[in-house]
Amino acid sequence: MEAKKYIGKVLPDGHLSLPEDVAKFAGQVFEVILIPVDQAEISAFAEQLAEEKGFSHYTEADIEKIIHESRGIKE
């Protein structure tokens, strides 16, 4: 299975909402990374890190693409 990106919600009982095509894998173990939709902290962190490492010529879109490609996420 390839990595997938989707918007989910933490339900009142603490479970995550899943799209139907992912929910069918009940019982399998997945790595989960939670990033709030209303916060772009990961982009700001990546931009700062790029400056420190000498990669500031990359745009935010470039960095986001690199992050997604490194995790196998296809949009």
Side-chain angles (χ1 to χ4, degrees), residues 2-3 5-7 11 20 26-29 42 46 48 51 56-57 61-62:
E2 65 185 35
K5 178 180 176 182
Y6 69 92
I7 305 287
L11 303 173
E20 286 184 29
Q28 290 189 15
V29 178
I42 188 71
Q48 178 185 354
E51 284 182 31
S56 58
H57 61 280
D62 293 332

Side-chain angles (χ1 to χ4, degrees), residues 13-69:
D13 66 358
H15 288 87
L16 293 173
S17 63
L18 297 172
E20 286 184 29
D21 64 327
V22 177
K24 67 183 177 186
F25 295 105
Q28 290 189 15
V29 178
F30 293 90
E31 176 181 6
V32 178
I33 301 170
L34 299 174
I35 302 171
V37 173
D38 60 345
Q39 296 178 11
E41 293 177 14
I42 188 71
S43 296
F45 170 75
E47 185 176 348
Q48 178 185 354
L49 185 60
E51 284 182 31
E52 290 175 8
K53 299 294 183 180
F55 299 112
S56 58
H57 61 280
Y58 289 110
T59 65
E60 184 176 326
D62 293 332
I63 294 170
E64 183 176 342
K65 183 178 178 183
I66 291 167
I67 292 168
H68 289 173
E69 286 178 359

